[in-house]
Structure formats: structure tokens, C-alpha cells
Amino acid sequence: MNREKTLKYTLTTFFVTALFGGLFFGYVLSEVNQGKELQKLASYQPTTPTKLYDTNGVLFAELYRHKQELLKFQDIPPHVIQAFLSVEDDNFFNHFGIDFSAIVRAAIKNLLAGRIVQGGSTLTQQLAKTILQERKKTFARKFLEALLTLQIEQEYTKEEILEIYFNLIYLGHGTTGLSSAANVYFQKDVRDLDIAEAALLARLPKAPVHYSPFKNPMDAKNSHLVVLGLMAKNGFIPKDQVGKIHNEFWDRYWPIVITQSPSRSTWGTKLNRAPHFTEWTRQILEKELGDEAVYTGGLRVYTTLDVRKQEIAEEELRKALIEQDRYAFGANFRYAGRADRGLVSLYNLMGSIFPVGVPYITNLDDRQVFRLHLEKEMGPALELLTDFTPSENESSAVKEFMRSSLVFSSNLHVEGAVITIDHQTGYIQTMVGGSRFTPKNQFNRAMQARRQTGSAFKPFVYAAAIQNRAVGSGTGIMDAPLTTITEEGEGYSPQDISGDFRGMVPLSRALSLSLNIVSVQVLMRTGTDSVIDFSSKVTKTNKARFPTGPALALGVAELTPYEMALGYSILANKGKDVIPFSIRYVLNQSGTVVYNREKQVQEELAEEAKTGAIQIIPEATAYIIKQMLIGVATGGTPTATLRAADKGNYKGISGGKTGSTSSYTNVWYCGFDPKYTSVVWMGFDKSSLSLGKGTTAAGVAAPVWGKMYSRWYNEGPYPSFGSTDKPEEIPADVIKGATCSFNGLSPGPNCPLVSNMFLKPITVAGRTLSVPGSRQCDGERDHFRSMDLNDFLQRELDISDDELGQPH
């Protein structure tokens, strides 16, 4: 009886299983024939790069995670296909998509090893996984993979499957597809890959990180020999050639991989003609639109960049940095990275009498000195020693180090930055964040480097004084020895670069000659709080960033090139608000606008215009300081080098101001013409290092500005502030007069006139604010004679006729 029941249950189970199995098999066949899952392959879209365009519609950069370049089957060399099939699916041309023999073989090996050491999936199954893009291991996923695998095998030939596979497979370091991988790993076209290179790539699909030659070179080397062995086993290469192919390949490839950045990726091969600007824009796009849209959405980003101006700015800055490097570390190396040692003995003497608390930089720090001597004295000996060392790792590393590093002093490069803003629209037209953009040098100095601004800050001091009606552009102020007390109770005595004094000087001439003592007096007349409030408004910088002592007048506040450019842009834009931006608008693949920053900026400015907030500073104040800065550019410290044919070669009308800091550590030129405001900064990343004795902003930074603008306009015609028929309109609140050009006092019979512009008196809380009157010039003060610019440069800066206008 029990036997009959057992037989009954067995037969029932068999027939039920057969029934459901048949139904399931029929369902699978039906689904395969319908090809529903195959639609996922047809609809699969490779990740499309986001493209960045400049204001003229020129494509200058792409953003993507995985670069995919489509190949045809006939483009792939046979030995490349053989290498991948030897590793991934040596029975590819014989199975129908699922290889049961491979599954059984893998199960036995895994069981014997006690862990998973081999998979049984076919190359077609791997393709199905890639298309489904679902990593979670579930039965449903496995079923869908199997279904899609069968559909692929039914719909496509084996050659077509291989073509799709080689275009979609991920091979590490941001590479999707064989073409991209060949470029990143070997800088080659797929057609040019040899057997050894194909064997290296063939190991990557299963574990692209573990077998990466850049991240794990020893694992990659060991697995490479295994792959060549499998190719020999399958008859693709002679067995006796395996060792030779392997050794010859690694002899030439090993020095490359051990010195290559582990983070190397397709980013390094991207189209990118403005890397600092692109990186800045990328961060904004990620924040506004999200990672997926940016890297896979195929967006079209229309930016404010002018790539032609950008490349000119990069070229001119780079040439200047190379020249400054030669100066700082060439014949004058004794001054490089140091303060003027001729002042050290005087400093020590003063320090023994007075509490002089300002430190000076004498040389490189201990680590830098050690590195310098290591490369200079020990490098050749170390390289020779490694020739007798059996370790290929250390030997290759030292040789590559010596080849790429050269001398440490040449790696302590002078750095720089350029940024340009169209002050009428807010477009950021150029952004150069440094000498080069590499994995180790991506710091955007244009936007992020805070450095003392020196005399380039003085226009904010003067403009604040004009706005407060403390001075006019022609007000006479005494340039004479001055000592004041800081908030800490210490004595402070500013000095001019020439070391002597000029007596009474009109304010506009004091700005042109960049007189420090006059600037401190202007600050004292105005009040530190007023200057900080003004500077904070135009640079849009927190007031806490500005020190409160008298040295504020000389530019000890640390600002970025971007903040300085914004401040000068507002001065150039009649005091109206400028909102700089880098992205105009973004379109998705269907052409729909998904982000429009330009429209947002226009709406913000329109709202500000309604409320009056658009006027950051009074238009009259901006007009006066702008005219003074035009005077600086046309007859002040930067004029000679800005306009000389062999220097800046700039022939237009512009306004601007130089800025140099103590110990020659920073040089600036901040300038504007009727269209664009640009700031040029140069210095070391280590802020205490000097650019070299005698380095001035007029000699180094101003020519870069001049060359940029000259080339932008192809040396003319230059834009003009107004015209003969329609001169620039003078704001109603500006009163024009004249003072003595020698001393800023009231004109006399023996005194030529200089323009004096100041603001109309106003009444605040019952008190009338107006510019104080000037004393009468007695005609006996004409020994303060007017000098032309060359006389000034020769007398005040001790520059010879031969050196006049030279950078150093």
C-alpha cells in the first residue's frame, strides 16, 4: 500500500512538474519570439557627453564619466577578439547564449576551491547585464538576464554581438568601450593594439579595479601572463612565445604604469580648452542639475566664456610666468624666495632699539632646502646606484622621477591668474586659474587665491573718500613723513617706494604715482569704517575680511582676483551692480531649456533697478574715480610698460592700477576699458616667497594685461569712452573745477591747472557735507614742478635709460 502511494505521489509530482515546466518553457519561447526584452537593447543609449559652448557657439569642453566611441566589428583586430574570448568565453561561437558546460565546470572548480574562483556566464550574458543595468542579485534579475541573452542570440549574429559588446563593456578608469580604453591605457587607436596590449585589456571586464595597471601594477602583470597562457592554450599564439611577449611588453610598460597617476581616467583625454573655467562650471552644473543629468544627459551648456580671449590670456600669462621663473631662479637666484638681504642688517639694528615686529623671509624652509639638495647633489648618484640594483620597481621609479622632476627649483613655479568680466553683462569671459591644469595643480587661483592686493586696493580708499566728500580728485595732500598709532598702540610710519617726499601733491597725481603716505592720509580723513563699508560693497566681501589699521590703505587686505575684478567692474559700470556668471543657459537633448542663469540675472537686476538697489555706489563717485584711473593708465606707473611696443603694446584708452606687496611677493594689475574688466595676478603659492628683487607690477603684470587687450582687438580699433560727437555724460552731482597741478592748491598765475572733480554738498542730519576748500597757491611753490613719466621712473625708481620700461 505504501509502495502504491509513493508511486502515485511520484507520478503526480512528475506530471505537475512537467506541466509547469512545459508551460514555463513555452512562456520563455514565446517571450523570446516576441523579443520584448530585446527592446531594452534597441532603446539603450550610450552615455552622451555634456557639451560646453562659448558665447560664439564654439565647442570648448565635454563632461562625461564614461567616454564611449563606437567601433565597427571590422575595426577590431582578430588578436584582440581572441584575447577577450580566451578569458571571457572560449566557447562563444558554439553556444546559444547560455553555456551549460561552462556552468558545470565553474561549479566544480568553485566547490573544490571552497570559494568562487570562476564564473560560468557567457559573453552574451555579460552584455545582457550591461544592458539591464541592474546590479541587485535576485531571481527576477537572473531570469530577465537569461531571457535577454536568448533574445540577443536569436536576433543578432555572433559578429554583431561582439561589436555591441566591445562598444559597451566597462574597462575601468572611466572607459566604456574598447576604443576609449585603448586611448587611456596606451594612447592608441584600437586598430594599432598588439597582442600584449590586447591581453592586458582582456583581463579588465571582470575586475577593472583589481587588474588596473595604474592601481595594482603587480596584479596586472601577473594576470597578463595568465591571459597569454590561455591564448596559447586555445591556439591563438605559439606557447613558446608567451614568455617573450610578456617580458618585452612589461620592460617598456612598467616604468610608465608605476609613475602614472592611479586616478588617471578619460578626464585627462577630454576636449577642454579652458580647464579652470570648465571645472568651475562643472561644479555649478552638478549643484543645479545633479550628477546624472550632467554626465549622462547629453546637455548643451551655453556659457559666457570667449574661448578666443581665453586662449590669448592663457598664452600671455604662461609666457610671463616662464620669464619670471627664469628671473627668480636664474642669475638672481640669491634673491629668489628671499627678502632683500641688504636690509637685514638694518632690520637687526632697528630691532635692537625698537620693537620691530615684522618678520622677514630669508630663504626656503628646511623641507624645500632638503629637496633642492637631494635633486641637485644626490640625484645623479642615486640614479647610477639603481642601475646596479636588481629591483626593477625602484630603478624604474628613480629614472622616471629624474626625467620628469628635473630640479626642484624649477618645480617651485611662479603662479598666476587672469579673470575677465564684461562689466555691462556680467559675463565671465576668461578664467585662467594657474600656469597649468594637471591632477596636482587644479587650484583655481582666479576664484580662490586670497592675496594681499597692495596699491591695487587704493582706488577703493580714494573712492570712499570722494563719496564721503573728504576729498576731490585735485585736492592737495601733503606727502611728508608721517607717523600714526595703530589700534594696538604701536607706531606706524608708511613709506613710499622711492623713500623721499614731494610735499603737497594733487590727489589724482598721488594715485598715478601710487604714493603710500598720501593714501594713508586719505584713509585717516575718511575713516576706516567708511573705507571698509565701501570696499565690502563693491567686492561683495564680508567686512570681517578687512583689517582696521592704517595699513588697510596700502592693500594688506587679502582678496581674490575675482573679488578685485568685481570691485573694478562696478567702478567701470557707473557704480551699478554687476552679477558675474559663467553659465548662460542649458538645453537638454530635446532642446528644452532646463536652466537659465542669464534670465535669472536679468530679473535680479531689473528688480534692483525698481528698488534703487542696483546703484551699489553713487554714479558720480564711480565717474570721478574712473577718470582718475584713466589718468593712472595714461600717465602713471604702468603707462610705459603697458603701452611700449615690446611690452604691453596697448594703444587704447583704459583705466587701471598696479599693485605690489612688500618683499616683492605679489604683483597685480587691475584694469578696464569700455567693455571689459580684467585682473592679472602673479606670485608664488607659498605667500612668503618673493618674486625676486625689484619685481614690480608695472614691469610684470601690466604688460600681460596690455598684450591680452591688444590681441583681443587685433591692435585696433579700440573701444572708446564716449566719442567726439557724444562725450561721456558727466553725472549731475559732479562739480568740476581746477587746482594747481604742482600741489593741488588753488591755481595761481605761475601754476598750470589740473582738473578737480568733487561731489555736490549734501545735508545729512542737519549737517552739510562738502569737500574742504583749498588754500591759495602763493606762486612760490612752483619748485614742485611737474615731471613727465620717464623722469619720474628714472628719478624715483632709480631706473636707467637702458632699463626704462624693462620688466625688472
Side-chain angles (χ1 to χ4, degrees):
M1 190 70 178
N2 290 335
R3 185 178 299 176
E4 291 179 1
K5 286 184 178 181
T6 302
L7 180 61
K8 181 179 178 181
Y9 289 143
T10 302
L11 290 173
T12 302
T13 302
F14 173 78
F15 283 116
V16 169
T17 303
L19 175 63
F20 282 102
L23 291 173
F24 179 74
F25 185 69
Y27 170 76
V28 170
L29 288 178
S30 174
E31 288 295 312
V32 169
N33 288 329
Q34 291 183 31
K36 291 181 180 179
E37 291 301 325
L38 199 62
Q39 294 176 4
K40 296 187 176 181
L41 177 58
S43 63
Y44 179 84
Q45 295 292 329
T47 57
T48 306
T50 286
K51 298 180 182 294
L52 275 63
Y53 300 89
D54 81 341
T55 52
N56 299 308
V58 176
L59 175 65
F60 68 88
E62 294 178 324
L63 300 175
Y64 50 77
R65 283 203 189 99
H66 311 313
K67 180 75 170 181
Q68 294 178 254
E69 301 173 27
L70 300 182
L71 291 168
K72 295 295 184 181
F73 179 76
Q74 56 267 27
D75 295 332
I76 308 169
H79 55 263
V80 174
I81 297 173
Q82 292 163 1
F84 275 82
L85 291 182
S86 295
V87 177
E88 299 297 328
D89 191 353
D90 58 5
N91 197 36
F92 174 73
F93 285 99
N94 299 317
H95 61 64
F96 59 89
I98 298 174
D99 191 346
F100 291 107
S101 63
I103 294 173
V104 173
R105 187 168 58 247
I108 294 172
K109 287 190 175 182
N110 293 338
L111 184 63
L112 293 175
R115 58 189 178 89
I116 297 177
V117 295
Q118 183 176 323
S121 63
T122 65
L123 186 144
T124 313
Q125 286 176 290
Q126 294 178 40
L127 177 58
K129 292 178 185 178
T130 301
I131 299 302
L132 291 173
Q133 294 182 326
E134 174 59 61
R135 299 300 179 190
K136 189 176 181 181
K137 294 183 178 181
T138 63
F139 176 78
R141 191 209 70 170
K142 285 292 184 181
F143 174 71
L144 289 175
E145 282 179 9
L147 198 60
L148 181 56
T149 298
L150 296 175
Q151 291 172 343
I152 290 172
E153 286 280 347
Q154 182 181 23
E155 182 70 21
Y156 297 99
T157 66
K158 292 289 187 179
E159 289 75 15
E160 290 172 334
I161 293 172
L162 284 173
E163 180 179 304
I164 298 170
Y165 173 83
F166 282 118
N167 278 307
L168 298 185
I169 194 67
Y170 180 68
L171 295 170
H173 293 276
T175 62
T176 297
L178 188 59
S179 179
S180 179
N183 188 26
V184 167
Y185 290 103
F186 304 113
Q187 294 78 58
K188 281 188 173 183
D189 187 273
V190 171
R191 300 171 187 82
D192 300 323
L193 292 175
D194 60 29
I195 292 174
E197 292 163 343
L200 179 71
L201 295 176
R203 202 68 175 109
L204 295 171
K206 289 284 179 64
V209 174
H210 181 70
Y211 293 117
S212 164
F214 303 142
K215 291 182 179 290
N216 300 296
M218 280 306 302
D219 290 332
K221 184 176 181 180
N222 293 334
S223 68
H224 183 258
L225 187 61
V226 173
V227 175
L228 290 173
L230 290 173
M231 293 181 71
K233 178 183 175 183
N234 290 316
F236 296 135
I237 60 174
K239 291 183 179 180
D240 60 357
Q241 292 294 306
V242 170
K244 181 182 178 183
I245 295 172
H246 175 76
N247 293 331
E248 288 180 352
F249 171 74
W250 287 100
D251 282 345
R252 69 175 186 270
Y253 197 52
W254 186 261
I256 297 174
V257 298
I258 65 171
T259 54
Q260 188 61 254
S261 169
S263 61
R264 177 177 172 82
S265 70
T266 52
W267 177 262
T269 63
K270 285 184 169 127
L271 168 68
N272 197 352
R273 295 170 64 181
H276 290 98
F277 181 89
T278 299
E279 176 62 13
W280 184 261
T281 302
R282 181 190 67 81
Q283 294 175 23
I284 297 173
L285 288 170
E286 281 190 9
K287 180 180 178 181
E288 296 293 337
L289 301 175
D291 290 9
E292 286 304 311
V294 172
Y295 296 114
T296 66
L299 304 176
R300 283 176 287 161
V301 181
Y302 292 88
T303 73
T304 63
L305 185 79
D306 186 321
V307 75
R308 175 179 167 272
K309 291 186 178 68
Q310 169 76 16
E311 291 181 340
I312 289 173
E314 287 182 358
E315 182 181 337
E316 293 301 337
L317 178 64
R318 190 171 293 116
K319 287 191 294 187
L321 294 176
I322 292 172
E323 181 180 346
Q324 191 61 34
D325 267 341
R326 281 199 290 263
Y327 175 73
F329 294 103
N332 295 283
F333 179 76
R334 63 185 178 277
Y335 295 112
R338 314 178 183 199
D340 183 356
R341 296 190 66 87
L343 299 175
V344 173
S345 58
L346 176 61
Y347 179 95
N348 289 333
L349 176 62
M350 294 292 290
S352 65
I353 305 173
F354 303 104
V356 183
V358 183
Y360 60 88
I361 304 302
T362 59
N363 50 30
L364 306 176
D365 62 32
D366 292 340
R367 291 174 61 88
Q368 294 165 340
V369 170
F370 173 78
R371 174 70 184 272
L372 181 63
H373 285 287
L374 172 66
E375 294 186 3
K376 185 177 180 181
E377 306 296 339
M378 297 177 62
L382 185 61
E383 185 176 11
L384 179 63
L385 180 63
T386 58
D387 290 335
F388 300 97
T389 303
S391 173
E392 59 179 86
N393 195 11
E394 285 76 3
S395 177
S396 298
V398 168
K399 288 180 179 179
E400 183 66 20
F401 171 76
M402 293 300 298
R403 182 189 68 78
S404 62
S405 185
L406 298 177
V407 182
F408 177 61
S409 60
S410 66
N411 292 328
L412 267 179
H413 290 293
V414 177
E415 280 295 347
V418 174
I419 186 164
T420 302
I421 300 172
D422 181 331
H423 47 252
Q424 295 178 336
T425 63
Y427 285 11
I428 297 178
Q429 294 261 276
T430 75
M431 183 189 293
V432 186
S435 58
R436 60 188 69 81
F437 188 88
T438 66
K440 294 183 179 180
N441 187 15
Q442 297 186 10
F443 181 51
N444 191 338
R445 296 160 187 84
M447 305 299 291
Q448 297 168 302
R450 294 182 182 181
R451 304 303 291 267
Q452 290 188 349
T453 56
S455 296
F457 186 79
K458 290 176 181 175
F460 303 149
V461 179
Y462 283 43
I466 291 168
Q467 181 172 306
N468 281 21
R469 291 161 173 77
V471 294
S473 66
T475 300
I477 295 182
M478 181 65 72
D479 180 34
L482 172 69
T483 299
T484 184
I485 304 298
T486 68
E487 290 186 348
E488 292 76 21
E490 299 177 354
Y492 177 72
S493 299
Q495 298 290 324
D496 291 320
I497 189 172
S498 63
D500 61 2
F501 311 99
R502 295 164 188 79
M504 293 292 289
V505 183
L507 195 66
S508 57
R509 183 166 177 245
L511 183 61
S512 293
L513 301 182
S514 200
L515 302 182
N516 290 339
I517 296 173
V518 172
S519 296
V520 172
Q521 291 190 73
V522 171
L523 175 76
M524 294 168 65
R525 286 191 181 198
T526 311
T528 304
D529 290 343
S530 294
V531 171
I532 290 176
D533 181 66
F534 182 94
S535 304
S536 175
K537 283 182 180 178
V538 295
T539 62
K540 300 185 181 180
T541 305
N542 193 295
K543 293 181 182 180
R545 295 260 305 277
F546 298 92
T548 56
L552 174 65
L554 308 185
V556 297
E558 295 183 343
L559 298 172
T560 66
Y562 167 78
E563 290 165 343
M564 290 295 287
L566 178 55
Y568 275 73
S569 291
I570 289 174
L571 299 183
N573 194 39
K574 300 182 179 180
K576 291 185 173 64
D577 193 11
V578 177
I579 304 176
F581 58 103
S582 59
I583 300 170
R584 295 171 58 209
Y585 58 91
V586 180
L587 303 180
N588 62 18
Q589 291 191 55
S590 64
T592 303
V593 177
V594 294
Y595 177 70
N596 194 331
R597 178 57 180 158
E598 186 168 27
K599 182 179 179 181
Q600 292 174 4
V601 169
Q602 291 171 349
E603 290 174 350
E604 288 178 44
L605 292 175
E607 184 62 28
E608 288 181 0
K610 290 180 182 178
T611 63
I614 194 170
Q615 203 69 50
I616 302 297
I617 60 173
E619 181 180 353
T621 301
Y623 178 84
I624 294 174
I625 193 64
K626 185 169 79 170
Q627 298 306 312
M628 293 175 70
L629 288 170
I630 291 173
V632 173
T634 55
T637 53
T639 308
T641 53
L642 189 65
R643 305 184 78 84
D646 60 337
K647 301 301 174 187
N649 196 37
Y650 178 75
K651 308 301 181 185
I653 302 299
S654 64
K657 184 71 185 74
T658 54
S660 303
T661 56
S662 60
S663 298
Y664 314 108
T665 52
N666 300 281
V667 291
W668 298 75
Y669 188 72
C670 307
F672 56 84
D673 75 352
K675 291 185 176 180
Y676 310 112
T677 299
S678 295
V679 168
V680 178
W681 166 83
M682 291 170 63
F684 282 99
D685 283 337
K686 187 176 177 65
S687 60
S688 59
L689 293 180
S690 171
L691 290 166
K693 183 181 180 182
T695 301
T696 65
V700 177
V704 174
W705 193 100
K707 288 177 183 176
M708 283 168 27
Y709 278 67
S710 175
R711 291 180 60 187
W712 290 352
Y713 298 124
N714 293 317
E715 300 186 13
Y718 295 91
S720 174
F721 294 101
S723 63
T724 305
D725 299 332
K726 188 178 180 182
E728 190 171 8
E729 185 176 347
I730 302 174
D733 287 342
V734 174
I735 297 176
K736 294 196 71 173
T739 61
C740 176
S741 64
F742 299 151
N743 49 38
L745 302 179
S746 298
N750 298 318
C751 185
L753 304 181
V754 66
S755 174
N756 181 28
M757 292 180 287
F758 52 93
L759 301 184
K760 283 183 178 180
I762 59 172
T763 300
V764 179
R767 178 187 172 197
T768 300
L769 300 180
S770 61
V771 177
S774 300
R775 292 173 294 163
Q776 175 69 37
C777 176
D778 58 14
E780 301 298 326
R781 303 289 300 279
D782 61 354
H783 59 280
F784 293 104
R785 65 182 183 83
S786 176
M787 290 185 291
D788 66 29
L789 180 64
N790 287 354
D791 285 343
F792 166 76
L793 291 173
Q794 288 176 293
R795 197 193 84 173
E796 307 301 338
L797 303 183
D798 193 24
I799 297 177
S800 67
D801 289 331
D802 293 337
E803 295 175 320
L804 189 62
Q806 298 296 319
H808 308 297

